[in-house]
Amino acid sequence: MNEPTPLLPVAPGWMVQSDFDGTISVLDVTDTLLTRFGLPGWVELEEQWERGEIGSRECMKGQVALLDMDEAQLQALLDTLEIDPGFAGFVAAAAAHGMQVQVVSDGIDYAIRHVLERHGLGHLEVIANHLVQVSERRWRLESPWASARCTRASGNCKCERLAEQQAVHGRVLYVGDSTSDFCVSHKADFVLAKYKLIAYCEQQGIAHAPFTNFEAATALLDKVVLGHEALA
């Protein structure tokens, strides 16, 4: 009887981590929920966060506690939210290169998974804050991915999530759009940047390539995988 062939270790390569709100999704999901269902006070929390008086974790927990909606209303609103039409193609292209795509967000896991499942992408791993229903119309946000070392005091420390994947895969291509992606961009091996993140990467000298949609990001993905990292 032949001995089974031992499995070879996976060679270090690239994987992809992507932000969700405003990067994959067309609209910021949390802001959309707060605009529709938020009780008074959530705007003040947002302003405190913008002034640097509180971290994003404290801001988000306070805001989610002010959501007044039942689950049917939540799902109905999430059913209206769209993602970048090129994202599914980007995921397929990454898979063809043997690259895992992981969604890493400081947003709400329930919302992200619901939207991705509607678009046939429910298989993607999502790491985000955890939404808990505490009564028919009230909610609580838990942050199992928080870190006391997080300089942004985020609910999900993206820098730690990136370091975890670098230890497994070797290199991480990070995709993001705004302020929650600033810190982690310094630690990524390469960045695909849109919106506010473009100017930040330019100012900080971070290796990056700008993109406007995931169709363009797919073309950039091919160049990164082929070793053309100096795209900025």
Side-chain angles (χ1 to χ4, degrees), residues 107-110 113 128-132 140-145:
I108 300 171
D109 59 357
Y110 182 108
R113 291 193 177 101
N129 295 294
H130 182 53
L131 186 67
V132 178
R140 180 178 77 246
L141 196 68
E142 296 179 349
S143 299
W145 302 101

Side-chain angles (χ1 to χ4, degrees), residues 165-186:
Q165 294 304 318
Q166 284 174 327
V168 173
H169 295 277
R171 293 179 288 182
V172 175
L173 172 65
Y174 188 82
V175 188
D177 76 312
S178 196
T179 52
S180 71
D181 306 306
F182 286 179
C183 184
V184 69
S185 295
H186 287 273

Side-chain angles (χ1 to χ4, degrees), residues 24-125:
I24 296 171
S25 66
V26 175
L27 299 175
D28 184 293
V29 175
T30 305
D31 286 350
T32 303
L33 290 172
L34 288 166
T35 300
R36 173 65 179 85
F37 299 116
L39 296 172
W42 74 265
V43 174
E44 288 74 13
L45 286 168
E46 191 83 9
E47 292 171 347
Q48 289 177 39
W49 170 71
E50 289 175 349
R51 292 194 298 265
E53 297 170 5
I54 59 175
S56 64
R57 179 185 180 190
E58 183 178 349
C59 176
M60 282 278 292
K61 284 197 169 187
Q63 289 178 326
V64 167
L66 291 172
L67 287 172
D68 180 17
M69 62 191 178
D70 60 30
E71 189 169 13
Q73 289 176 311
L74 169 59
Q75 291 184 355
L77 182 59
L78 294 177
D79 284 343
T80 69
L81 299 181
E82 298 300 323
I83 64 171
D84 185 304
F87 182 62
F90 177 86
V91 172
H97 287 298
M99 300 170 72
Q100 175 190 356
V101 176
Q102 186 182 69
V103 178
V104 180
S105 171
D106 204 22
I108 300 171
D109 59 357
Y110 182 108
I112 295 170
R113 291 193 177 101
H114 186 96
V115 174
L116 288 175
E117 285 172 3
R118 275 186 51 240
H119 291 88
L121 294 163
H123 63 284
L124 294 180
E125 182 180 12

Side-chain angles (χ1 to χ4, degrees), residues 148-209:
R149 295 181 296 276
C150 183
T151 57
R152 288 180 49 82
S154 298
N156 181 8
C157 182
K158 293 183 177 183
C159 293
E160 287 196 357
R161 304 293 78 75
L162 183 126
E164 290 165 358
Q165 294 304 318
Q166 284 174 327
V168 173
H169 295 277
R171 293 179 288 182
V172 175
L173 172 65
Y174 188 82
V175 188
D177 76 312
S178 196
T179 52
S180 71
D181 306 306
F182 286 179
C183 184
V184 69
S185 295
H186 287 273
K187 300 172 176 64
D189 295 279
F190 197 80
V191 176
L192 297 184
K194 64 187 288 194
Y195 190 44
K196 292 181 180 179
L197 189 57
I198 297 174
Y200 183 81
C201 287
E202 290 173 349
Q203 294 162 3
Q204 299 294 317
I206 295 169
H208 74 287

